[in-house]
Each structure stands twice: as C-alpha cells, then as structure tokens.
Amino acid sequence: MTKHSAIPLRHPVMIVAMMLVATMTISTGESTWAAEGPLEISPLLAQAEQDRIDAIERAMPSTVCVFVPGGGGGGSGVLISPDGYALTNFHVSSPAGNYMRCGLSDGNIYDAVIVGIDPVGDLALIRLLGRDDFPYATLADSQKASAGDWCMVIGNPFLLASNLQPTVTWGILSGVNRYQYPSGTLLEYADCLQTDASINPGNSGGPLYDAEGRLLGIVGRASFEKRGRVNVGVGYAISIKQAKNFLGYLHSGRVVDHATLGATVATDPDGSVRVSNILESSDAYRRGLRYSAEIIEIDGRVVHTANDVQNVIATLPSGWRVKLVYRYEGNTVETLVRLMSVHGQDELLEKMAGAMPPPPPRETPKKDSDEDKQEEDDGDDAGPEVAEGDVPAAVLAVYEERRGFANYFANQQRQNEFIDALRNQFPKGNAGQTRTWSIQGKTSNDDKVFIYVSDDRLSMVVGDTPIEPETKSDLYESVEAKSFAGAIPALDAWRRMLDKGPKKFGETIYWGSMPLAGERPLRDCVVGSDGEFEIRWLSHPENKQVECIEVFADRDEDPAELWIHRDSDDADAAPTRLEIRYGVESIFEMTVDSWEVLENESPDGDDKDDTDAAKPAPQDQAEQQG
C-alpha cells in the first residue's frame, strides 16, 4: 500500500475540495450539481477562515500609514519595537526629509522622525514619538519562506487610508530569492520575495506578513502594466533577513552603504561560480582569493550561480566580516573576509541627493470643494490634514543634522550607551580620572608577561623581550609589523576612552552591528579615530562587554585584534585571557593572573600621586622576580 503525504489544511486544493463537499452533491442518476438543504460549512474550513482573520487582527496594529506633511505623498511602514521604531522605504521617507506624520489602525496620528537610511537597499528607519508601548510586529525567518506560502500585504495603497484603516490584500509568495537590478538608480533589490498579493503605489514601505501574521519583508517594488499604476500581480518585498542585517547600521543614524566582495564572478559552464576579476587591495585577495577560484559558500549560504553570489553580498552592509569558502588549485579554503563598500561616502551622498525628490510644500490643505473631492478620489493627495508650520518641537528635540548622517542625534544616543556600558564593566571608572593599568600573566610556554599602560609610559615584556614604544610612530610600526605589541595601542585606546569618553577621545561614531569573526549574534561596533589609528570596539549586544578591540594602522592591511576573554558575563568579571590576532591568525595569547587599576587623584596632573614611581615598570618587575 502506497503511503501518501498529507495535504496541509491551508493548501488551496484542500480548501476548494472542502468547499465543494460542503455546498454541493451530485444528484442520483443525473450529471448536474444540486444543493441539498441548508448550507453547512465544514469545521475545518471555518477554522481555516478564522485563522486568517486572527492573523490579520494580530498584524494590523503594527502597520503604519505614512503621510508627508503638506500633502507631498506618503506610503506605508511597520513598527518593529515598542519604543516606536518602524521600517519603511527610503523612497517613502525621502520626500518628507526629517519629519513625517504616521497613523495607526487605532485611529491615532503620531509625529515621526527619521533615524537612519539605506538608499541602496531602499530602507529607512523612522521613530514614532509620544509612546513607549507601541504595538509591533513579530519577525519571521524569511529564509524559510517558500514559493506557494500564503501571505498578506497590509498598507496604504494610493493613500486611501485617510481614516487610518489600512488595506489588506491576500495571496501567495510567487517566488523567493529574486534579484532586481538597480536599472540606473541606487535602489538594488536582492534576495527579495515576490508575491501576487495586490501591491500598488502607497503600499511601499509596508509589511508583507506570513499566514500567521509575522513580518516576512518590507514591500518596495511592483511591476505595472505598460508603466501604468495598476497592479498586475507581480510585487517585491525586501526580506526581513536583509532588514535585520542593516538594523544596527540604521540605528546609527548614518547614511549607510552596501557591501562588495571586491571581486566579480561568473557562472562557469560546468555549473560552478568562478572569480572573473579581483581587486588586489581587497581583503578577499589578502585571504588568497584569486582569478578562476571557485566560490562555494558566503556567510553560511551555499552559492551555485553568479546570481546567488549577488543575492548574498547585496544583502550585507559594508565593513562586515563574513565567512568565505572557496576552492583554488585543488585546495578548499575556509576563511574570513572583510567586505568593501560599494561607494565612497562622497559618491554615495551625491548619488543619493540626485535620487531624492525636492521637498514638498508644507501648506495647509484647502477646504473640500467638488474639485478637491474629485482629486481625492484619484488617491494621490488623500490622508489626514496636516497643519502648516515648522517641524514640531518634539521632532526637533531628537534630530540633529550632520553630513553623512540622516540623524546624528541617534548616533549620539548610541555613543552614550556605549560609554556608560564600558564604564560599568571591569575595569570600571569615571570620566576625567586618569588611570594606570598593570597587567601580569604568562603565555602558554610559561613566559612571564608584564604590561604597563599609563599616560606617561607604555611597555610590555614577554619573557626576555622588552618593548617600550616612545612615540606614536613606534606603535604604528608594531601594528604594521604584525607584532604582539599591537596589544599596547589597543589597551591604551581602551584606557583613554574610559577617561575621556567619545567626544574627547577623537572623532568617534557608533557604526552599527556586525558579526565578530563571522559569528552571530551581531556585535555593537563603535569606531574612533586616534591620530593615525582607527580603533574599533566590538561589544556583545546583551551583556555589553567589550570582546574585541581592533587597531587599524592601514585600511588596506589587517588590523591588530585584541581579543578579551572572560569566564563570566558579570560586569565585574575581569579578563582571564588576552589574545592578539592578525587576519585569521592568532599570534599571541596570555592568561591574566592580575590586572591592577591605579587611579591618580588629579586628572590634570597637578596633584598626581607617585603611582608611576611607586609602581615598578614591567622591566623592573621582571628583574625583581627573576
């Protein structure tokens, strides 16, 4: 007896079959269909319908109707956190600039401020103001979505939601992993979801939900009949996986860019993906990738075609470090690659400015007349009336303009969170307190290690090898030479950041979130400039402990990576091991036996105690002990 697989309850064939059985029977001796008695709905069919209604009710409250003040357009969005953060499209937010009005299905309208934008991936993060208990969507795993899955689109097509009640359309996923070329614009849709659920102008930026009401993606594009404005059943949504990759970058308030491998690829006739060209300045080249190498896997995803490679790379932010598996000259190599930016910053800002429409006039809408009502029926200028005037004070309070940023205020908030967390973990301290660190331990070969870090002296002794850089140039050379002494500038930068804070350390920004050595969860990254050095602090998103400090002496070379290992997540937990890596190679590791923090009484040095004199330098300690 052949075993057949069960058809899922929501499969369209099953639903149609149940409808036919419930409503019609075949008359005896006749070939015609005839109704028999009162209509009875199958309990299974009734439950399937109720499930759909419940899913819509769960999803509806998180849907946002976006309106540009002054009647300059609008679109849709979706709330993703209780404190009001919502995703929409860049092409929806750009006409509004820094301020827009957003309505929810509960009938309330809220001011919203721009936070961060991704003009290449057509994403924008906005924040609705006035509450800290907004309804928000549950995020699905879009990588598990398949063609044929039920889905729904909820939004504001043709800005019809003037009563703040969004439109719901239902359909299936027609395809997954679609790629849409920029076509002469910045906007690139990679690895996106295709649906036949009706999408029209105004749905842009809104949510694509699965059958359970979980967020699958952000609606962005649709194919229209002969460039018209009528949906023909081919719409596209940015996957929520891509959106999650960029969330940390968007929270930074920056204008963010996408990644490139620094190489081009082509699908080989034998079905493999081969490198057709590669930049020698790329990290991929430093990791051994060469012309004709076969790429097998990127960021944990197996690739079979050039389209697969583009689908993966185009969903990743610039600067990420991801896993790469390739085969070259018979050898399979598993490595880590730092991805490059598609654009230079000035180039990105220039292209973005060219893609943005002029700001709309912020005028008070006229009173309804017959002509106005006819125009409103056309759907282009519908929506709640917005009074003329300046940007609301509540928006201005959380917005700051700065080149390269959509909202620099958002970045300052993240910098403050970083320094607060840094000062509340070992080694703790307060702003303005100069510190001296004395660290002792040993290597795996039992060589004793002494590290001394203060304003006046930096030194390190490993076994019989003393290193005492006297100038910034000496520190720079230690990183260029890939020496274990790269630990010194990393520790000194950490110490001075505690003392000075981001504003006084140097040009410092919260960069976003990224993998640590290709691994999730994504770590928060803060970048600071320190003379010739660029310093990056990578911290765990939950316990906020700094796990790695990277010191770049040259953008085209591997940085010195100081890895800080602890045995506990407690804020008071002291590091138990320190490790130095360059590229994918660990060159030095020590266990930490003691880490003393000596604080001077006066930050300006007028009343400094004799800490440096009282505490022997590492070389002196080495002599005393051996």
Side-chain angles (χ1 to χ4, degrees):
M1 182 175 179
T2 303
K3 184 178 179 180
H4 298 280
S5 58
I7 301 177
L9 173 62
R10 294 185 178 86
H11 194 286
V13 174
M14 178 62 79
I15 292 177
V16 171
M18 288 191 297
M19 291 176 64
L20 292 174
V21 169
T23 58
M24 290 178 285
T25 61
I26 302 178
S27 301
T28 304
E30 297 181 7
S31 60
T32 59
W33 293 87
E36 287 187 355
L39 178 65
E40 294 184 3
I41 302 296
S42 164
L44 293 176
L45 180 59
Q47 184 61 51
E49 182 65 15
Q50 188 59 51
D51 288 347
R52 183 170 66 172
I53 293 171
D54 292 343
I56 292 172
E57 289 180 351
R58 285 193 298 269
M60 183 76 75
S62 60
T63 301
V64 178
C65 298
V66 180
F67 298 97
V68 175
S76 307
V78 57
L79 284 155
I80 58 170
S81 67
D83 47 356
Y85 287 100
L87 287 168
T88 185
N89 285 147
F90 163 68
H91 79 261
V92 170
S93 69
S94 60
N98 63 342
Y99 158 59
M100 58 215 74
R101 303 296 301 279
C102 295
L104 302 183
S105 61
D106 62 7
N108 292 312
I109 300 175
Y110 301 89
D111 293 323
V113 65
I114 192 71
V115 177
I117 56 176
D118 169 17
V120 177
D122 199 16
L123 281 174
L125 184 69
I126 63 176
R127 187 176 186 184
L128 280 62
L129 306 175
R131 290 173 60 180
D132 59 6
D133 62 345
F134 283 98
Y136 61 97
T138 299
L139 306 187
D141 185 351
S142 55
Q143 283 300 112
K144 294 182 180 179
S146 301
D149 288 350
W150 292 109
C151 64
M152 56 181 162
V153 171
I154 305 181
N156 189 17
F158 296 110
L159 307 190
L160 290 174
S162 55
N163 63 350
L164 304 184
Q165 298 305 304
T167 298
V168 182
T169 56
W170 188 270
I172 64 169
L173 292 181
S174 309
V176 297
N177 307 126
R178 298 296 197 214
Y179 181 80
Q180 295 286 299
Y181 289 91
S183 301
T185 70
L186 267 177
L187 308 183
E188 180 181 28
Y189 279 59
D191 210 32
C192 59
L193 305 169
Q194 179 186 335
T195 180
D196 68 350
S198 183
I199 290 175
N200 286 290
N203 278 119
S204 291
L208 173 71
Y209 296 104
D210 66 12
E212 305 299 324
R214 297 170 299 194
L215 185 61
L216 275 174
I218 306 300
V219 173
R221 273 185 173 181
S223 298
F224 296 108
E225 181 73 26
K226 297 180 180 177
R227 298 185 180 180
R229 291 170 62 83
V230 179
N231 175 270
V232 293
V234 184
Y236 307 97
I238 302 159
S239 72
I240 199 62
K241 178 178 175 63
Q242 175 176 333
K244 286 193 290 186
N245 287 344
F246 278 86
L247 268 183
Y249 276 43
L250 292 171
H251 275 289
S252 74
R254 298 187 298 119
V255 179
V256 303
D257 198 9
H258 281 233
T260 175
L261 187 60
T264 58
V265 298
T267 305
D268 205 65
D270 66 4
S272 59
V273 185
R274 300 281 179 177
V275 174
S276 55
N277 201 358
I278 186 167
L279 295 174
E280 293 187 8
S281 60
S282 67
D283 191 52
Y285 190 87
R286 287 198 294 276
R287 302 283 80 83
L289 193 67
R290 296 291 186 269
Y291 172 80
S292 80
E294 178 188 359
I295 296 180
I296 301 171
E297 190 175 305
I298 303 174
D299 194 29
R301 288 181 59 180
V302 176
V303 294
H304 301 286
T305 65
N307 188 73
D308 289 344
V309 171
Q310 188 63 21
N311 259 341
V312 176
I313 294 294
T315 61
L316 302 177
S318 63
W320 268 30
R321 196 180 187 195
V322 299
K323 295 179 180 180
L324 176 70
V325 180
Y326 67 88
R327 186 178 293 113
Y328 183 64
E329 293 183 343
N331 298 315
T332 299
V333 179
E334 298 182 14
T335 188
L336 294 170
V337 172
R338 295 181 190 270
L339 301 175
M340 305 172 68
S341 296
V342 174
H343 308 89
Q345 186 182 48
D346 291 341
E347 178 190 12
L348 178 63
L349 296 178
E350 183 179 346
K351 286 187 175 182
M352 184 190 73
M356 293 174 64
R362 299 187 184 274
E363 300 177 353
T364 305
K366 299 177 181 179
K367 297 294 183 181
D368 286 346
S369 64
D370 291 341
E371 292 182 1
D372 294 331
K373 290 180 180 178
Q374 179 60 48
E375 291 178 1
E376 189 170 303
D377 289 341
D378 292 338
D380 290 332
D381 297 319
E385 291 189 357
V386 181
E388 181 180 12
D390 295 333
V391 176
V395 173
L396 292 176
V398 292
Y399 176 79
E400 183 175 338
E401 186 174 356
R402 183 170 177 174
R403 179 175 171 79
F405 292 82
N407 185 352
Y408 184 63
F409 180 86
N411 199 279
Q412 289 180 307
Q413 284 186 303
R414 298 289 170 168
Q415 290 182 46
N416 292 338
E417 292 172 3
F418 160 73
I419 192 62
D420 287 346
L422 193 67
R423 285 173 173 161
N424 281 309
Q425 61 188 263
F426 183 92
K428 295 182 179 180
N430 299 315
Q433 288 182 311
T434 57
R435 297 165 178 80
T436 295
W437 288 356
S438 178
I439 305 168
Q440 298 186 32
K442 57 180 176 295
T443 69
S444 58
N445 296 325
D446 284 333
D447 288 331
K448 293 181 178 180
V449 181
F450 302 93
I451 303 174
Y452 192 77
V453 185
S454 73
D455 284 343
D456 301 323
R457 190 174 191 178
L458 302 173
S459 60
M460 184 174 182
V461 178
V462 179
D464 297 327
T465 306
I467 298 176
E468 188 161 354
E470 296 181 355
T471 65
K472 280 281 189 181
S473 179
D474 293 337
L475 292 173
Y476 190 91
E477 289 175 3
S478 69
V479 176
E480 276 200 321
K482 296 180 171 52
S483 162
F484 61 77
I488 298 176
L491 289 166
D492 186 47
W494 184 1
R495 183 189 64 87
R496 287 186 294 107
M497 177 61 79
L498 282 171
D499 175 20
K500 299 177 180 298
K503 292 183 179 179
K504 294 182 179 180
F505 178 84
E507 181 67 26
T508 303
I509 62 172
Y510 171 74
W511 190 256
S513 57
M514 60 179 62
L516 177 57
E519 297 290 346
R520 269 72 167 180
L522 302 181
R523 271 62 171 194
D524 290 315
C525 178
V526 169
V527 179
S529 296
D530 179 24
E532 297 295 324
F533 289 127
E534 178 182 283
I535 315 292
R536 296 184 182 182
W537 289 263
L538 286 93
S539 306
H540 195 280
E542 295 176 4
N543 60 37
K544 305 302 180 184
Q545 288 180 344
V546 61
E547 296 178 306
C548 183
I549 300 174
E550 299 178 338
V551 181
F552 287 80
D554 188 327
R555 290 286 185 88
D556 293 332
E557 296 292 338
D558 291 324
E561 302 174 35
L562 173 66
W563 285 64
I564 302 117
H565 302 278
R566 299 177 177 86
D567 292 339
S568 171
D569 292 340
D570 295 338
D572 292 328
T576 55
R577 286 187 299 123
L578 297 179
E579 181 184 1
I580 291 293
R581 301 183 189 179
Y582 289 89
V584 294
E585 183 180 359
S586 176
I587 69 160
F588 173 82
E589 186 172 351
M590 64 174 283
T591 57
V592 177
D593 295 329
S594 67
W595 188 312
E596 294 186 72
V597 180
L598 308 170
E599 296 184 355
N600 299 326
E601 294 180 358
S602 173
D604 57 12
D606 292 340
D607 299 315
K608 291 176 67 175
D609 61 19
D610 293 330
T611 299
D612 290 352
K615 190 72 178 179
Q619 295 95 322
D620 302 325
Q621 291 178 325
E623 291 171 2
Q624 290 176 7
Q625 296 187 24

